[in-house]
Amino acid sequence: MDKPLDKAVADLGRDIGEYIRQQRSTAKISLRQLAKLAGVSNPYLSQIERGLRKPSAEILQQIAKGLRISAEALYVQAGFLEQREGGALADAIATAPDLTERQKQVLLDVYESFRRENTATQPKPEE
Amino acid sequence: MDKPLDKAVADLGRDIGEYIRQQRSTAKISLRQLAKLAGVSNPYLSQIERGLRKPSAEILQQIAKGLRISAEALYVQAGFLEQREGGALADAIATAPDLTERQKQVLLDVYESFRRENTATQPKPEE
DNA sequence: GCACTCCGCTTGCAGCTGCTAGCACCTCGC
DNA sequence: GCGAGGTGCTAGCAGCTGCAAGCGGAGTGC
């Protein structure tokens, strides 16, 4: 079942908007508060959250700052960056050139426990 | 000697434009050829290279595809992405799909403290 | 009741992005 | 000479981005 391109694009907009709304809800701040923290207008933030507008990378950067999350996370949702595959982080830790073996093991253990925590608490990880 | 903000912004535009022109020169293709490969108009690409316009992340993605380089490299030049200190591992953490934002931050902090520790124990880490 | 503060949203619009049509210039082959 | 193909750029403009002004609604205190 092929979606028309327009619909797919609108859905993409909703994806980043939904994600921002989610993160804002998690942070327990109002739309106006986030808009202020991020330095964007609150009507525009509202439109972004509802998928009516498609913000630039700069606006996403500002919103990420307001949410205290990485801009990368928002770029991924917006389709500007590709999401790494699940196994990639474990591999990256294992091959990190600037860590000792002990440190690598610690990071891997922390990562595994986080993933276990996410699988146990809710089947759909918060992302 | 403080530059006016307008000048600084114009320089930023020139940075990404210069970089694109450089990469195109390295690839030995004309402006029109790159524009065609990238799927953007050649006048617009010309304007971008000369720092007259500031392309969106999507256009940068297309140009990267045409140049056969990573979009990330262009985002960094454009100021959308920071070149993270940790490189690949930090990137992998930031974009990991199975972690919450809070968990990502924890891992990044742990990783950062490990790197600091390694820098302190040996002045020239193998990197 | 009123005024105030907060909430999220609508509307109109200035300025920007990215495009098309077309220009001037160059080289090559006839 | 000409035409064809290539080069990079100018100019005008449709549509989009992000904003300011303002709306209706909710809650609080007088």
Side-chain angles (χ1 to χ4, degrees):
Chain A
M1 186 96 119
D2 282 336
K3 287 197 267 193
L5 184 59
D6 285 356
K7 190 78 159 81
V9 168
D11 282 349
L12 255 183
R14 195 162 291 130
D15 285 347
I16 182 63
E18 274 289 336
Y19 185 73
I20 289 168
R21 183 159 284 193
Q22 251 184 6
Q23 295 299 315
R24 179 167 66 80
S25 173
T26 298
K28 296 189 176 19
I29 56 176
S30 71
L31 186 140
R32 285 189 185 213
Q33 285 169 335
L34 176 56
K36 186 164 179 146
L37 288 170
V40 308
S41 75
N42 77 70
Y44 190 53
L45 181 56
S46 173
Q47 287 173 328
I48 291 164
E49 287 193 352
R50 288 172 289 131
L52 299 185
R53 293 291 169 90
K54 190 155 133 344
S56 66
E58 274 177 81
I59 293 291
L60 288 182
Q61 220 174 5
Q62 286 176 244
I63 291 168
K65 185 197 74 188
L67 285 170
R68 295 167 180 250
I69 62 175
S70 71
E72 279 93 336
L74 292 188
Y75 294 161
V76 167
Q77 291 296 319
F80 298 159
L81 272 183
E82 299 213 341
Q83 198 157 45
R84 311 264 177 138
E85 292 190 4
L89 180 48
D91 289 345
I93 292 171
T95 57
D98 49 355
L99 295 181
T100 68
E101 291 304 317
R102 185 186 57 84
Q103 287 170 339
K104 288 177 191 175
Q105 197 53 58
V106 169
L107 271 182
L108 278 169
D109 288 345
V110 174
Y111 174 50
E112 283 310 320
S113 74
F114 280 163
R115 289 178 72 237
R116 229 175 288 124
E117 182 180 317
N118 293 341
T119 308
T121 53
Q122 40 187 357
K124 286 199 179 174
E126 167 189 322
E127 53 159 303
Chain B
M1 186 100 121
D2 280 338
K3 285 197 270 195
L5 183 59
D6 286 356
K7 193 82 159 67
V9 168
D11 283 349
L12 254 184
R14 196 161 289 133
D15 286 347
I16 181 63
E18 275 289 337
Y19 186 74
I20 288 169
R21 182 160 284 192
Q22 250 183 6
Q23 294 298 316
R24 178 167 68 79
S25 173
T26 298
K28 295 188 179 7
I29 55 175
S30 71
L31 184 140
R32 285 192 184 210
Q33 284 169 335
L34 176 56
K36 182 159 187 166
L37 288 169
V40 309
S41 74
N42 76 70
Y44 191 52
L45 181 57
S46 173
Q47 287 173 326
I48 292 164
E49 287 193 351
R50 288 174 288 131
L52 299 184
R53 293 291 167 89
K54 190 156 132 344
S56 66
E58 272 178 81
I59 293 290
L60 288 181
Q61 220 173 8
Q62 286 175 243
I63 291 170
K65 185 197 73 187
L67 285 170
R68 297 174 178 232
I69 63 175
S70 74
E72 280 92 340
L74 292 188
Y75 296 159
V76 168
Q77 291 294 321
F80 297 159
L81 267 187
E82 301 212 342
Q83 193 86 310
R84 284 178 179 264
E85 280 283 320
L89 180 48
D91 285 344
I93 293 171
T95 60
D98 48 356
L99 297 179
T100 68
E101 295 303 319
R102 196 174 299 110
Q103 289 170 337
K104 289 179 194 173
Q105 197 54 57
V106 169
L107 274 180
L108 281 169
D109 287 346
V110 173
Y111 176 46
E112 198 51 46
S113 74
F114 281 165
R115 290 181 66 252
R116 228 177 284 123
E117 183 180 314
N118 293 341
T119 307
T121 52
Q122 39 185 3
K124 284 200 178 172
E126 169 189 319
E127 57 163 304

